Amino acid sequence: MAKLGVNIDHVATIRQARGGIEPDPVAAASVAELAGADGITVHLREDRRHIQDRDVMILRSTVQTHLNLEMAATAEMVAIAMKVVPEYVTLVPEKRQELTTEGGLDVAQHSQLLTRQIESLHQAGITVSLFVDPDLEQLKASARVKSDYIEIHTGSYCEATGQAKTAELAKIEAAIKAGRKLGLRVNAGHGLNYRNIRPVLALGGVDEYNIGHSIISRAVLVGLDRAVREMADLVHGS
Ligand code: PXP
């Protein structure tokens, strides 16, 4: 059965809009877990635009499923991860100007740095995932740098329409198969919602889906409990 990791960054986005204390992502994580989330994901961005260091520290002791810390492959972030020791770290590319993560990591280009960082994270007992485009060269490079997981970037599939969408789905399918053949475990995420996830679920072979924006958006209208339950039902039923 596939798992659902709920990304609660945008609960913090709402809090930061007023710079106050509500809504608290720590409370959101507990509600999400009670509603069937299998894991909690947060992205501690270098600019701290949503999740704060305080959130990560508290979540470390309150999350009862598993904590997946998304972060840039920088010395500052690796040092934080070594202090927090989440179950998973997902390394992502990060640009200050972007609205959200754009594109996957260029693992091939940064293989020396990533090899060193993955080794350090492994020594701290942290399982590592690399956020990559569904591209064979990046998958091979991910295996070479000894990542445990890849997370396939589903953004291009989610944004495409018509024939292009079918082509993007085929790339995801090929990447799932290739990743597993290379001995990597495979997660997927970015841009997935209650409709576009169905064809991806039908492919099989994905351990965990990391989903944030669509769940928090639905939660604004129907409540977080229901929004998580509805996505968990889809993912668990696949
Ligand atoms: N996976 C990764 C690596 C991400 O950077 C993000 C966005 O923070 C997500 C999944 C979740 O994407 P979305 O919010 O579009 O569901």
Side-chain angles (χ1 to χ4, degrees), residues 4 193-194 197 211 214-215 227-235:
L4 171 64
N193 64 33
Y194 297 78
I197 195 171
I211 306 178
S214 63
I215 294 176
V228 172
R229 271 180 212 282
E230 288 175 359
M231 189 60 88
D233 283 350
L234 279 171
V235 170

Side-chain angles (χ1 to χ4, degrees), residues 7 9-10 43 70 90 92 100-101 131 151 189-192 210-214:
N7 179 317
D9 291 350
H10 296 306
H43 184 173
E70 265 180 35
T90 301
V92 300
T100 181
T101 315
F131 187 52
E151 178 173 331
H190 209 284
L192 294 170
N210 281 312
I211 306 178
H213 192 268
S214 63

Side-chain angles (χ1 to χ4, degrees), residues 145-157:
V145 298
K146 303 214 162 28
S147 188
D148 306 289
Y149 281 79
I150 47 160
E151 178 173 331
I152 298 174
H153 191 331
T154 51
S156 298
Y157 157 75

Side-chain angles (χ1 to χ4, degrees), residues 117-157:
Q117 292 185 335
I118 291 169
E119 211 172 275
S120 303
L121 293 165
H122 279 165
Q123 275 168 12
I126 301 167
T127 301
V128 180
S129 181
L130 300 178
F131 187 52
V132 291
D133 291 325
D135 173 298
L136 186 57
E137 286 316 306
Q138 297 300 337
L139 304 188
K140 285 186 187 160
S142 301
R144 278 201 302 273
V145 298
K146 303 214 162 28
S147 188
D148 306 289
Y149 281 79
I150 47 160
E151 178 173 331
I152 298 174
H153 191 331
T154 51
S156 298
Y157 157 75

Side-chain angles (χ1 to χ4, degrees), residues 68-176:
N68 174 30
L69 178 61
E70 265 180 35
M71 57 183 224
T74 64
E76 182 207 6
M77 288 298 155
V78 171
I80 291 172
M82 308 279 273
K83 213 160 75 186
V84 174
V85 195
E87 281 81 6
Y88 298 89
V89 156
T90 301
L91 296 173
V92 300
E94 208 176 287
K95 292 190 216 111
R96 294 252 162 176
Q97 296 347 316
E98 68 193 359
L99 286 178
T100 181
T101 315
E102 292 166 2
L105 271 176
D106 190 344
V107 184
Q109 169 89 15
H110 300 108
S111 63
Q112 283 191 352
L113 173 76
L114 290 169
T115 301
R116 280 200 307 276
Q117 292 185 335
I118 291 169
E119 211 172 275
S120 303
L121 293 165
H122 279 165
Q123 275 168 12
I126 301 167
T127 301
V128 180
S129 181
L130 300 178
F131 187 52
V132 291
D133 291 325
D135 173 298
L136 186 57
E137 286 316 306
Q138 297 300 337
L139 304 188
K140 285 186 187 160
S142 301
R144 278 201 302 273
V145 298
K146 303 214 162 28
S147 188
D148 306 289
Y149 281 79
I150 47 160
E151 178 173 331
I152 298 174
H153 191 331
T154 51
S156 298
Y157 157 75
C158 294
E159 279 167 23
T161 53
Q163 296 247 306
K165 203 171 194 69
T166 312
E168 290 297 334
L169 186 65
K171 283 190 203 166
I172 294 173
E173 182 174 22
I176 295 170

